[in-house]
Amino acid sequence: MDKKISFSNYLVIGVMLFALFFGAGNLIFPASLGQNAGTNLWPAVLGFLATGIGLPFLGTLAMGFSGSKNLQDLSNRVHPIFAVIFTSLLYLTIGPFFALPRTGAVSYEIGIQPFIGAEYAQIGLLIFTVFFFGVTMLFSLNPSKIVDNVGKYLAPGIIVGLFILLFFVVIKPMGGFEEPHGSYVDKAFMTGFTEGYNTMDALASLVFGIIVITAIRSMGVNSTKGIIGATAKAGGVAIFFLGLIYAGIAYLGATSTGIFGLFDNGGPVLSSASEHYFGSFGAVLLSVVIFLACLTTSIGLLTACGEYFHTLMPKISYKAFVIFFSVFTCIIANFGLSNIITYSIPVLMLLYPLAIVLILLTFLSPIFNHARIVYVSVMFVTFLISVIDGFKALCDSLEIEHYSWLKPIVSFYENSLPFYNVGLGWLIPFVIVTIITGVIARFQKVATV
C-alpha cells in the first residue's frame, strides 16, 4: 500500500523539478520574446507556455504513465537498437555536448563577463568554467542527496531572487508595450510556441522524470496510479513557478523596449532591467540568480548522464563517468556560447520531434494495444522529416547554401506538409500514420511491446 506524501514533500520535489528545468536559457528566451512580441505579448506567452511548460509536464508524466524504468526502456517500444541510439544521443545532447556546457557558458557571459574587461574574457571563461564544473562535479558525486541539496537549498534562492526583481517590474513598469516585430506581428502564438522549443525542457523531461519518480518511490509510493498522481502534483508545483516566472520575465521584456531598445538576446534585457531598478546591487543579484539557475540544471544533467552511461556500461563506475563528463564539458564550454548554440540547433531539430512523438505515443499506447507497428511506423515517418530539418538547420547555422540533394526535399516538404514552415511539419503525418496503423493494430494480431 502506498504511503501518503505530505504537502511539504510535494513542494520539495516540485521545487527540485523546477530547479532542474530552470537554467539560464529559460531566463533569456522569454525576455527576448517579450521585447519582440510587444503589444502581442500575451498570445505569444501562451504559445511559449504550451511548449515551455506543457511539453515538459507531459514528458514527466509520460515516464510515470509508461511504467518504464528509464528512457531506454521506454524507447525500446520502437526497437532495441533505436532505444540505445536515441537515448544515448539525447543524453549527450542535454549533457556534455550542448546543454551542459551551455550552463557554464551562459552563466559566465551574463553573470561574470560584464564585470571584467574584454581582454580578459577568454582566461576568465577558463577560470570560471573550471570552478563551475568543479562545483557541479562535487554535488553530482553524491546523487542520493539531490532532493535535499537542490530542492531545499538552491532552488528557493532562484525563486526568491527572481520574484524580488519581478515584483518591482509589476508595480513600477519601465514603460509601455511597443509594436511587435517580425513574425510576432501576425503569428504571435505560433512564434511563441516554437520559441518554447529552445528551452530543451521537453527533452530533459524524459530524463528528469526518472529523478522525480525515484524520489517519489523513496517516499513509499510504488503503484503506477500512485506514482502518476504524485508526479502530477509535484509537476504542478514546478510548472506553476515556471509559468509565473516565464510570464513575468516576458512582461519585463515587453516593458523594457521603449527605454533600452531591442537587444539581440534576452541577456542584456535582464541585466539592464536589474541595474535600472537596483543599480550595481541589481547586477550582483542577477549574477547570483543566474549562477544558481545554471548550477542546479548542471547538477541534474551531469547526474542523469553519469547514471545512464554507467547503466549502459556497468564496468565503468558512475564516479568515473561524472569526472570524465565534467572535464569534457569544461573543454566544450570554452569554445564559447555562440559556437555551442550554432551546433546544437541542428541536433535539436532532429531530436525534438522524435521526443514529442514518443511522449504522445506513450499516452496513446493503450488505445492501439501497445502495438509495435504503430511505434515503428510513426517514428520512422517523423524521422524522415526531422532529419531533413536537422540538415537544413545545419546549413542555415553555418550560413552555407543547402546541398543540391537537400533543396528538392525541402521544397517538397514546404509544399506538401502543413505547418512545415513553423516547425511542425511532422504533426499531420503523425496523426495520419497513428490512425492508420492504430486501426490495423486493433483489428489484426500484431506484435506488442
Side-chain angles (χ1 to χ4, degrees), residues 396-412:
D396 292 341
S397 297
L398 299 178
E399 297 183 346
I400 61 176
E401 290 198 15
H402 299 162
Y403 297 111
S404 58
W405 65 268
L406 188 60
K407 288 183 178 179
I409 301 176
V410 172
S411 178
F412 172 75

Side-chain angles (χ1 to χ4, degrees), residues 88-101:
S88 298
L89 187 57
L90 187 144
Y91 269 97
L92 291 173
T93 299
I94 66 171
F97 282 176
F98 300 118
L100 193 50

Side-chain angles (χ1 to χ4, degrees), residues 50 62 94 101-102 110 130 153-154 171 183 190 227-228 251 277 294 306 317-318 337 348 370 374 404 413 437 445:
I94 66 171
R102 191 180 75 173
I110 298 176
V130 169
Y153 303 112
L154 296 180
I171 65 171
S183 58
M190 210 59 193
I227 289 173
I228 293 173
Y251 178 79
Y277 285 107
C294 289
S317 69
Y318 166 80
L337 180 60
L348 290 178
H370 312 287
V374 180
S404 58
Y413 282 171
T437 55
K445 286 187 177 182

Side-chain angles (χ1 to χ4, degrees), residues 26 28-38 40-56 180-200 246-247 250 352 356 421-424:
N26 304 68
I28 294 172
F29 297 125
S32 180
L33 177 147
Q35 279 216 316
N36 287 280
N40 287 336
L41 174 68
W42 300 119
V45 168
L46 289 176
F48 186 89
L49 293 180
T51 48
I53 64 175
L55 285 179
H181 297 268
S183 58
Y184 286 101
V185 174
D186 56 356
K187 298 178 182 177
F189 177 85
M190 210 59 193
T191 304
F193 187 91
T194 52
E195 187 70 13
Y197 286 177
N198 290 324
T199 65
M200 289 198 284
Y246 284 158
Y352 228 96
I356 296 172
N421 289 325
V422 293
L424 294 175

Side-chain angles (χ1 to χ4, degrees), residues 347-361:
V347 179
L348 290 178
M349 294 302 293
L350 168 67
L351 286 182
Y352 228 96
L354 296 175
I356 296 172
V357 166
L358 184 60
I359 291 171
L360 296 176
L361 288 178

Side-chain angles (χ1 to χ4, degrees), residues 259-283:
I259 186 172
F260 299 128
L262 281 174
F263 290 107
D264 292 335
N265 62 65
V269 180
L270 290 163
S271 57
S272 299
S274 297
E275 191 168 356
H276 173 81
Y277 285 107
F278 307 114
S280 299
F281 171 76

Side-chain angles (χ1 to χ4, degrees), residues 63-382:
M63 294 308 300
F65 183 80
S66 68
S68 302
K69 295 179 292 185
N70 50 50
L71 175 57
Q72 184 173 324
D73 187 31
L74 177 60
S75 304
N76 194 56
R77 296 182 177 189
V78 182
H79 192 277
I81 296 177
F82 170 85
V84 173
I85 295 174
F86 174 74
T87 306
S88 298
L89 187 57
L90 187 144
Y91 269 97
L92 291 173
T93 299
I94 66 171
F97 282 176
F98 300 118
L100 193 50
R102 191 180 75 173
T103 60
V106 170
S107 181
Y108 170 74
E109 291 198 10
I110 298 176
I112 304 297
Q113 189 170 320
F115 298 99
I116 64 177
E119 65 272 21
Y120 301 111
Q122 195 60 44
I123 187 65
L125 176 62
L126 175 62
I127 294 172
F128 177 80
T129 51
V130 169
F131 167 75
F132 182 88
F133 291 110
V135 173
T136 298
M137 182 180 68
L138 291 177
F139 272 101
S140 301
L141 285 173
N142 194 358
S144 63
K145 294 184 178 180
I146 191 168
V147 173
D148 290 334
N149 294 332
V150 176
K152 289 185 178 179
Y153 303 112
L154 296 180
I158 301 170
I159 296 173
V160 170
L162 285 174
F163 278 174
I164 291 173
L165 174 61
L166 296 179
F167 172 77
F168 283 94
V169 171
V170 172
I171 65 171
K172 192 178 179 181
M174 289 174 280
F177 293 177
E178 301 292 318
E179 291 297 313
H181 297 268
S183 58
Y184 286 101
V185 174
D186 56 356
K187 298 178 182 177
F189 177 85
M190 210 59 193
T191 304
F193 187 91
T194 52
E195 187 70 13
Y197 286 177
N198 290 324
T199 65
M200 289 198 284
D201 286 344
L203 299 181
S205 68
L206 296 172
V207 173
F208 293 155
I210 296 299
I211 298 176
V212 173
I213 293 167
T214 300
I216 290 171
R217 283 177 174 156
S218 70
M219 296 177 181
V221 178
N222 294 296
S223 71
T224 300
K225 182 179 179 181
I227 289 173
I228 293 173
T231 302
K233 291 176 183 177
V237 172
I239 66 171
F240 170 77
F241 285 120
L242 283 171
L244 202 59
I245 290 174
Y246 284 158
I249 293 175
Y251 178 79
L252 179 155
T255 59
S256 70
T257 310
I259 186 172
F260 299 128
L262 281 174
F263 290 107
D264 292 335
N265 62 65
V269 180
L270 290 163
S271 57
S272 299
S274 297
E275 191 168 356
H276 173 81
Y277 285 107
F278 307 114
S280 299
F281 171 76
V284 174
L285 174 65
L286 180 68
S287 298
V288 172
V289 169
I290 286 180
F291 179 81
L292 290 174
C294 289
L295 183 63
T296 52
T297 302
S298 180
I299 294 168
L301 293 174
L302 184 59
T303 300
C305 287
E307 289 178 342
Y308 171 69
F309 284 101
H310 170 58
T311 302
L312 194 63
M313 294 174 276
K315 290 185 179 180
I316 304 177
S317 69
Y318 166 80
K319 290 186 176 181
F321 274 116
V322 167
I323 294 171
F324 171 75
F325 284 145
S326 297
V327 174
F328 182 84
T329 300
C330 185
I331 294 172
I332 297 297
N334 278 273
F335 283 95
L337 180 60
S338 296
N339 285 322
I340 295 171
I341 293 174
T342 295
Y343 288 100
S344 68
I345 292 174
V347 179
L348 290 178
M349 294 302 293
L350 168 67
L351 286 182
Y352 228 96
L354 296 175
I356 296 172
V357 166
L358 184 60
I359 291 171
L360 296 176
L361 288 178
T362 300
F363 291 109
L364 296 173
S365 193
I367 299 175
F368 54 78
N369 295 329
H370 312 287
R372 189 180 295 275
I373 185 177
V374 180
Y375 281 96
V376 173
S377 301
V378 174
M379 295 300 285
F380 177 71
V381 170
T382 304

